[in-house]
Amino acid sequence: NAGVMQNPRHLVRRRGQEARLRCSPMKGHSHVYWYRQLPEEGLKFMVYLQKENIIDESGMPKERFSAEFPKEGPSILRIQQVVRGDSAAYFCASSKRGAGSSYEQYFGPGTRLTVT
Amino acid sequence: KQEVTQIPAALSVPEGENLVLNCSFTDSAIYNLQWFRQDPGKGLTSLLLIQSSQREQTSGRLNASLDKSSGRSTLYIAASQPGDSATYLCAVDNAGNMLTFGGGTRLMVKP
């Protein structure tokens, strides 16, 4: 059973370009979470998605960032017009949830974005 | 708003020592608490998950305790080894939607 998969593992973009980060959850998991780890800072929640729905995007910057989790295919975190401050490690996690309780989140290896 | 604090920020011990890492949180209405390990430049490996109704969990040389009322958790590592060197992260799940992470404890175990 493959774990959470993220690609690419490393991504270099020039300022102003777009970055697309992909996350495939563990088999049987229908809940996906994105977190960001800025250099020398802790992990911060960005967005929580279920298939075709954004459940909580309270941690997403208001501009340039968007996320989706389509019916088919991986979840995508999209950053438009990247700036140097977007350089960070972006982690995806997935879980299998039930109503009224929470389940363990399993993390992918992360995508390290460098903006030059 | 939940805040999670980990003390100490860094710890260096000789091999073989037993050690305790501390995690405190401000909002005790949590679903669960997870301890993770992160190696430099790598992802997160889940070590232990404690549900809000539990007091502790054990896995091998690791033991994690949870005291919801006082907003504290400890991770106990027995007979530390150089391979245990990593950053240890504590994270709490409040709303069932997201994890709030502490800043981590950077552990170095010297041979």
Side-chain angles (χ1 to χ4, degrees), chain B:
Chain B
K1 180 190 166 190
Q2 177 72 273
E3 291 183 7
V4 181
T5 304
Q6 290 187 247
I7 293 172
L11 183 62
S12 180
V13 300
E15 181 177 5
E17 256 194 32
N18 302 324
L19 54 100
V20 174
L21 308 182
N22 296 292
C23 172
S24 61
F25 46 94
T26 54
D27 184 351
S28 61
I30 65 171
Y31 279 106
N32 64 41
L33 183 145
Q34 279 186 256
W35 282 93
F36 294 90
R37 170 188 172 134
Q38 185 176 28
D39 292 281
K42 305 285 187 184
L44 278 69
T45 301
S46 180
L47 298 173
L48 289 163
L49 169 77
I50 311 178
Q51 298 284 1
S52 62
S53 58
Q54 297 174 321
R55 298 281 295 186
E56 66 177 335
Q57 280 287 336
T58 298
S59 175
R61 293 183 294 110
L62 305 179
N63 175 278
S65 68
L66 173 64
D67 184 342
K68 261 182 51 175
S69 59
S70 67
R72 292 181 192 168
S73 175
T74 60
L75 179 66
Y76 175 82
I77 304 176
S80 58
Q81 303 169 358
D84 294 331
S85 299
T87 296
Y88 289 80
L89 297 165
C90 162
V92 299
D93 183 345
N94 268 108
N97 287 352
M98 69 181 84
L99 294 178
T100 302
F101 282 85
T105 293
R106 204 162 39 248
L107 173 65
M108 171 75 72
V109 181
K110 297 178 181 176

Side-chain angles (χ1 to χ4, degrees), chain A residues 84-103:
Chain A
R84 289 222 173 101
D86 297 332
S87 295
Y90 291 83
F91 292 97
C92 169
S94 73
S95 73
K96 182 168 61 176
R97 290 178 57 83
S101 64
S102 66
Y103 286 81

Side-chain angles (χ1 to χ4, degrees), chain A:
Chain A
N1 185 10
V4 178
M5 299 177 68
Q6 291 187 248
N7 67 80
R9 297 288 305 276
H10 299 274
L11 182 62
V12 180
R13 286 286 178 264
R14 291 200 187 98
R15 277 180 298 170
Q17 290 185 320
E18 178 179 288
R20 280 185 178 239
L21 287 61
R22 294 175 185 77
C23 169
S24 296
M26 284 180 69
K27 188 176 180 181
H29 288 191
S30 57
H31 301 258
V32 165
Y33 313 78
W34 285 94
Y35 296 84
R36 177 166 69 171
Q37 188 173 36
L38 291 165
E40 304 303 321
E41 291 190 23
L43 276 133
K44 298 279 194 276
F45 167 79
M46 298 182 76
V47 62
Y48 162 40
L49 309 104
Q50 295 179 26
K51 287 281 187 183
E52 300 185 279
N53 283 305
I54 296 174
I55 307 301
D56 184 343
E57 56 181 348
S58 58
M60 287 276 271
K62 293 287 184 276
E63 298 177 349
R64 303 186 297 108
F65 285 71
S66 62
E68 63 176 5
F69 189 14
K71 190 176 179 182
E72 301 292 337
S75 174
I76 307 284
L77 179 67
R78 182 181 176 209
I79 312 172
Q80 295 178 288
Q81 298 177 314
V82 295
V83 301
R84 289 222 173 101
D86 297 332
S87 295
Y90 291 83
F91 292 97
C92 169
S94 73
S95 73
K96 182 168 61 176
R97 290 178 57 83
S101 64
S102 66
Y103 286 81
E104 187 170 1
Q105 291 190 21
Y106 294 85
F107 280 74
T111 293
R112 276 146 187 88
L113 172 66
T114 302
V115 179
T116 60

